[in-house]
Amino acid sequence: MAFHGQRYSSLLLWTLSALECLTLAAPSGTISPQASAATVSVNLGGVTYVNKGLVGFGLIPSDFLESTGDTIGGIGSAIAFKPGTWTSNTDGTYSGILVVHPDRGFNVDGTVDYQSRRHEIQFSLSPYTSSTPLSFANAQLTLKLTYLNTTLEFERSHTQTSGLDPTSIRPAQSGFPAVLSADPQMPIASTKEPHLTLDIEGIVMNADGTYWISDEYGPYIYKFDPSGNLLETIQPPSAILPRVSGSLDFTSEDDPDTGRAANQGFEGLTVDPDTSTLYAMLQSATIQDGGDDKSTSRFTRLFAFDISNPGVSPPLVGEWVVPLPLSSKGNTEACSEIHFVSPGVFFALSRDGDGRGGDDNNSKYKQADLFSIANATNIVGMFDGASSAVSPDGKLNKKVTAATYVSFVNFVDSTQLARFGLHDGSPNDITLIDAKWESLALAPVNDPAFPDDYFLFTASDNDFISTHGVSLGVPFNAGLDVDNQFLVFRVTLPSVRRGSVQKAIGI
């Protein structure tokens, strides 16, 4: 039974195909100091960080159906390890469960009434460190993925959430059970039964099974219980909220006058597990900070919320400006995810929109870079009023020092891709790297010889694009098959506090 390159919509076929592939020559699980002859080292704040290369690749077929009967697309929007599941096996392999969260559903022809949901994906990682190229089929043995389950998400009164564009606003409310404080004004869909509308882009899992998710529409941060019920909402400072003629307007169809740009909300969400500080970052600058033009939108904002006291609505405790990289044409490479590394140091997944399912075959920038706020100005309270600008027209206020940003892990390194049967550029086939990479997760290698080494997981958002897709129970043909791709890199992160990553993933 062939699997790779063909379209199947059944978990049974997916599982059988994976079992059949086991008869092929499996890659070595041996861990070595580097994945290829060429490693990349960068210095940030006097610390040297090393990218040892790509060690794993896997995918979920574009037409795979999850338990509700819908296509399981868009899962790379947000990923995290399910606490307590990361395991280092004695044979040199690793296993665990990823919690993945799609965004707002299949929306090529407009947004749909897609109930937000999270999925659990079991994985087995067999790190491949040889320079000898694998075939595309054998490369998928390095990261085997198995769908487990889906949890639908609900807002107040157990009402279904939606992915529809928020064209209405629910007034601030209180009086709900287990709500710490009144809900702020919320983005809702104008339907017969108005309900909270979400475009989820970030996830942080808690040890007790609750979790935080961030969205683009608000942009807000929401806390859900393990069963997928809304517990709490965090509203960002007024300067970030989208306004038209001074009034809130959450639509993603057009840019507002001030606040987050359309579809440029809280793409990044991460946590410092030791201090219980939740961080969220806008994909690019607010409108008043130059976000209405790609040539002036590089100065985005990072926010910190104190979630250490479960009985108190999380206060804003920090805010910094992060300068995003620029393309050769001077346009901003917007950030699709962040991940905490160590105090003041973060990964930033900045990228273009090219690749499989994108605007062009040739990707020029897809990277997990590093930035530090150690010497940056904490601007909390300084530029947080409605329409307040820290970088008007893309020019940073001279009294403000931005974070330090350095290039690090390149996803479109042709040598690394070729080792796993992948490529950048033509032809536009199933071995072309996907366009939209939007998630990061970090886990320890647990190698005594290299105690500072970690695995960096990332997944793509395929936008539900499939020739045999199903959306809200209705079949669709998007004209192309874009699989959900996963990559795993091995990196050396000396600044990481011993045990902090373990704590974050519950081991």
Side-chain angles (χ1 to χ4, degrees), residues 319 398 487:
E319 181 180 348
K398 293 181 179 180
L487 298 174

Side-chain angles (χ1 to χ4, degrees), residues 39-62:
T39 59
V40 176
S41 299
V42 301
N43 187 280
L44 180 63
V47 178
T48 298
Y49 299 86
V50 183
N51 169 23
K52 294 183 175 179
L54 190 62
V55 297
F57 168 72
L59 63 79
I60 297 175
S62 67

Side-chain angles (χ1 to χ4, degrees), residues 11-310:
L11 175 57
L12 175 62
L13 290 183
W14 186 9
T15 304
L16 288 176
S17 299
L19 291 174
E20 181 181 4
C21 284
L22 292 176
T23 62
L24 301 174
S28 169
T30 302
I31 297 295
S32 66
Q34 59 187 44
S36 68
T39 59
V40 176
S41 299
V42 301
N43 187 280
L44 180 63
V47 178
T48 298
Y49 299 86
V50 183
N51 169 23
K52 294 183 175 179
L54 190 62
V55 297
F57 168 72
L59 63 79
I60 297 175
S62 67
D63 62 350
F64 181 77
L65 301 183
E66 36 99 335
S67 60
T68 71
D70 278 353
T71 298
I72 196 173
I75 60 177
S77 290
I79 66 172
F81 292 106
K82 184 175 183 178
T85 65
W86 176 259
T87 303
S88 302
N89 303 309
T90 57
D91 62 354
T93 64
Y94 300 80
S95 57
I97 295 174
L98 283 169
V99 180
V100 302
H101 207 300
D103 46 21
R104 56 183 173 177
F106 178 67
N107 62 346
V108 170
D109 298 318
T111 57
V112 296
D113 195 16
Y114 179 80
Q115 185 175 2
S116 62
R117 64 201 68 183
R118 72 176 197 270
H119 311 292
E120 291 189 354
I121 307 293
Q122 190 173 45
F123 67 87
S124 176
L125 172 65
S126 300
Y128 184 71
T129 59
S130 171
S131 60
T132 301
L134 293 168
S135 68
F136 184 64
N138 276 359
Q140 292 170 61
L141 294 176
T142 62
L143 183 65
K144 291 177 286 187
L145 303 162
T146 303
Y147 168 80
L148 294 179
N149 58 60
T150 294
T151 300
L152 296 174
E153 292 165 348
F154 300 85
E155 60 147 324
R156 305 304 182 195
S157 304
H158 203 66
T159 301
Q160 294 183 10
T161 58
S162 175
L164 286 167
D165 186 65
T167 53
S168 295
I169 297 173
R170 178 185 295 152
Q173 300 183 54
S174 61
F176 295 105
V179 175
L180 297 178
S181 59
D183 278 342
Q185 292 174 290
M186 304 280 261
I188 60 173
S190 292
T191 60
K192 184 177 181 181
E193 198 172 323
H195 44 301
L196 178 65
T197 183
L198 301 172
D199 184 3
I200 302 304
E201 300 293 349
I203 186 168
V204 166
M205 299 297 299
N206 300 318
D208 63 359
T210 62
Y211 56 100
W212 300 92
I213 52 179
S214 63
D215 93 309
E216 289 198 309
Y217 283 146
Y220 288 160
I221 302 170
Y222 301 96
K223 186 179 183 180
F224 282 79
D225 70 17
S227 298
N229 296 294
L230 179 63
L231 293 175
E232 185 178 352
T233 303
I234 299 177
Q235 186 181 54
S238 187
I240 311 307
L241 300 178
R243 286 186 167 83
V244 175
S245 299
S247 299
L248 282 180
D249 190 330
F250 293 110
T251 182
S252 64
E253 298 297 324
D254 301 291
D255 280 338
D257 296 335
T258 61
R260 63 101 179 104
N263 298 305
Q264 298 286 296
F266 280 150
E267 281 273 343
L269 187 71
T270 190
V271 68
D272 176 349
D274 291 334
T275 64
S276 295
T277 304
L278 189 69
Y279 294 90
M281 193 164 86
L282 292 176
Q283 190 168 11
S284 63
T286 63
I287 296 298
Q288 65 268 28
D289 288 335
D292 56 348
D293 191 309
K294 290 183 178 180
S295 67
T296 59
S297 62
R298 69 178 305 219
F299 291 112
T300 190
R301 303 198 201 188
L302 172 74
F303 300 89
F305 299 90
D306 180 2
I307 57 171
S308 62
N309 189 342

Side-chain angles (χ1 to χ4, degrees), residues 40-43 325 365 367-371 405-410:
V40 176
S41 299
V42 301
N43 187 280
Y365 202 100
Q367 298 197 171
D369 298 324
L370 292 167
F371 70 88
Y405 192 106
V406 296
S407 174
F408 190 33
V409 179
N410 180 12

Side-chain angles (χ1 to χ4, degrees), residues 324-337:
L324 299 176
L326 298 175
S327 71
S328 59
K329 296 181 179 180
N331 291 329
T332 301
E333 303 289 12
C335 181
S336 290
E337 183 60 291

Side-chain angles (χ1 to χ4, degrees), residues 56-62 72 74-77 79 98 100 136 140 143 145 355-357 366 411-412 417 420-423 428-439 457-462 481-488:
F57 168 72
L59 63 79
I60 297 175
S62 67
I72 196 173
I75 60 177
S77 290
I79 66 172
L98 283 169
V100 302
F136 184 64
Q140 292 170 61
L143 183 65
L145 303 162
R356 182 76 165 173
K366 298 189 196 305
F411 292 9
V412 290
L417 292 177
F420 289 81
L422 298 165
H423 73 278
N428 185 359
D429 60 15
I430 61 172
T431 68
L432 174 62
I433 188 170
D434 280 356
K436 299 175 66 175
W437 293 82
E438 300 195 349
S439 55
F457 284 64
T458 183
S460 67
D461 171 6
N462 73 339
D481 289 310
V482 181
D483 297 322
N484 297 277
Q485 297 178 348
F486 291 70
L487 298 174
V488 183

